[in-house]
Amino acid sequence: MSEPQDPLRSLFQQAAGAGQSRAAAAPVAEIAARGRRRRRRRVSALVAAACLVVGGGGATAAALLSRAPVPVGPAGPPSPGRPSPERLPSPALTSPSPTDSPTLPPSPEFTIGSSPPGTMAGSSPPEAGRGSATSPP
């Protein structure tokens, strides 16, 4: 079976033949110049983006560092609801449990958070040889 002649198809074939005969490859120098231009554009776009990132980071850092520090008020007494860690009794000074061996209770004149008689609160303990905490000065 033969196909009927399509006038549009024959016109397309004629146009393709004419274009193929006139077509020629571009010179190598022109192709290389296109590649160099494209590479320069790409590098310049990357450099511009890097400058924007560095500049934005520097501006952000300068804005954050130029702020004046927030003043801190004086320390106040601790809140009564929560005891501070230095006021908590140590395990050695707590009341003995029924399973523990009997120990001596702390002396009534020296309690947790107070200093021994004859010393100032917050002072360092006496050195060995200069006296003891239980002997009067």
Side-chain angles (χ1 to χ4, degrees):
M1 279 188 143
S2 67
E3 294 182 27
Q5 291 291 337
D6 186 13
L8 187 59
R9 181 176 178 176
S10 64
L11 287 175
F12 276 131
Q13 286 176 345
Q14 286 177 356
Q20 194 172 23
S21 65
R22 293 184 196 153
V28 175
E30 185 180 337
I31 294 172
R34 286 182 201 165
R36 284 191 297 270
R37 282 193 303 264
R38 178 177 263 172
R39 191 176 311 116
R40 270 188 257 132
R41 286 184 194 134
R42 189 180 321 130
V43 168
S44 63
L46 288 174
V47 167
C51 287
L52 287 174
V53 167
V54 169
T60 303
L64 290 175
L65 293 176
S66 66
R67 291 184 184 169
V70 178
V72 178
S79 62
R82 185 173 177 191
S84 62
E86 63 256 0
R87 299 259 182 201
L88 293 176
S90 66
L93 297 177
T94 59
S95 63
S97 65
T99 60
D100 289 344
S101 63
T103 59
L104 296 174
S107 65
E109 57 194 45
F110 181 71
T111 58
I112 298 173
S114 67
S115 59
T119 61
M120 293 177 37
S123 65
S124 62
E127 295 177 14
R130 286 191 148 186
S132 65
T134 56
S135 66

